[in-house]
Amino acid sequence: TTTENVQFKAEKTERNEILLKKVHELGEPDSTIINQQYYYNRTSFEIGRQISMTASAVQKRSIRARKRLRSMLAEIGVSI
């Protein structure tokens, strides 16, 4: 129904806002890496060139940042 759709969209919007806030809380360069990977679909090589890191370093930071992000979200009861 329409009411369910509105509620679903509101929950999705709220979850996205929380996610963006937590990504920002990761700090630099991790927040840039996550944003570039997931919102702009950039490769590790492209991101590395932009922030003066090797692609390998970007990949390692991304793995650690995602792990921290999952932990931060779990603390507030949000799963992704």
Side-chain angles (χ1 to χ4, degrees):
T1 66
T2 304
T3 304
E4 290 171 348
N5 287 340
V6 169
Q7 184 177 356
F8 175 77
K9 286 180 182 180
E11 289 172 3
K12 186 175 177 183
T13 299
E14 182 180 358
R15 189 176 67 235
N16 286 343
E17 288 173 1
I18 291 168
L19 181 59
L20 284 172
K21 180 181 177 201
K22 293 300 180 184
V23 167
H24 179 73
E25 288 177 18
L26 289 170
E28 291 299 335
D30 297 341
S31 60
T32 294
I33 291 170
I34 297 298
N35 279 323
Q36 292 294 314
Q37 282 180 320
Y38 293 97
Y39 290 99
Y40 298 101
N41 224 15
R42 300 243 165 80
T43 66
S44 296
F45 178 77
E46 291 169 324
I47 298 166
R49 219 175 44 212
Q50 178 184 351
I51 61 175
S52 302
M53 286 184 148
T54 64
S56 175
V58 168
Q59 290 170 344
K60 287 177 187 169
R61 288 204 75 115
S62 174
I63 291 167
R64 291 183 193 134
R66 284 181 284 156
K67 187 175 182 178
R68 282 187 24 233
L69 184 58
R70 272 191 297 276
S71 179
M72 291 165 72
L73 291 169
E75 285 177 8
I76 59 169
V78 176
S79 63
I80 52 172

